[in-house]
């Protein structure tokens, strides 16, 4: 039986395809491999620049790598687009806190704490309030 050269197996989505890039990048970030996650996210975002999920993962990767200005830029856009995103609010607050910009961080941390009810979010807001009280 001869093989038909015209029939090829279906292609699996590439690592940069937005539909698979999210899953791959999330798994990499969960394993604390932000550089590798960015290698997956960037080509997928080139194909679909408005993809909120991928942009959120990129911000997370930037935070993990302490690329705070890049993280802040992504997170600011995400919060402007969806102020009800408690994760983005909290992450932006933490990003600003890590830059010692406590007065700017506090409203985002408070809002995230109020929206999510997450005790860690509440503790982050209290921590920044204390830092502001010490500084002023």
């Amino acid at each position: 039986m001869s093989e038909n050269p015209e029939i090829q197996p279906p292609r699996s989505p590439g690592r940069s395809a937005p539909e698979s890039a999210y899953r791959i990048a999330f798994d990499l970030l969960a394993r604390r491999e932000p550089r590798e996650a960015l290698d997956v996210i960037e080509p997928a975002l080139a194909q679909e620049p408005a993809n909120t999920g991928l942009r959120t993962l990129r911000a997370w990767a930037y935070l993990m790598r302490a690329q705070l200005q890049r993280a802040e830029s992504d997170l600011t856009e995400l919060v402007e687009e969806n102020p009800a995103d408690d994760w983005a609010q909290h992450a932006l607050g933490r990003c600003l806190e890590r830059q010692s910009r406590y007065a700017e961080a506090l409203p985002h941390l408070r809002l995230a704490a109020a929206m999510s009810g997450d005790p860690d979010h509440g503790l982050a807001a209290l921590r920044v309030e204390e830092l502001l009280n010490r500084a002023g």
Side-chain angles (χ1 to χ4, degrees), residues 21-22 25-26 29 34 37-38 41-42 45 48-64 70-79 81-82 85-92:
Y22 183 92
F26 186 92
L29 290 168
L38 286 169
I41 294 166
E42 292 299 342
L45 276 174
E48 200 175 310
N51 186 308
T52 302
L54 290 172
R55 290 169 45 228
T56 300
L57 292 181
R58 182 173 66 183
W60 183 17
Y62 287 152
L63 284 171
M64 291 175 89
R70 288 180 174 180
E72 180 184 351
S73 177
D74 277 354
L75 291 165
T76 298
E77 287 179 15
L78 290 166
V79 165
E81 292 168 12
N82 182 8
D85 182 342
D86 61 287
W87 184 89
Q89 290 282 357
H90 180 75
L92 179 55

Side-chain angles (χ1 to χ4, degrees), residues 75-76 78-80 82-94 96 102-126 128-129:
L75 291 165
T76 298
L78 290 166
V79 165
E80 287 171 357
N82 182 8
D85 182 342
D86 61 287
W87 184 89
Q89 290 282 357
H90 180 75
L92 179 55
R94 292 284 292 126
L96 294 166
Y102 306 127
E104 294 173 70
L106 189 55
H108 296 287
L109 294 172
R110 283 181 175 160
L111 188 54
M115 287 191 300
S116 70
D118 185 326
D120 289 336
H121 292 179
L123 289 173
L126 290 173
V128 170
E129 284 176 0

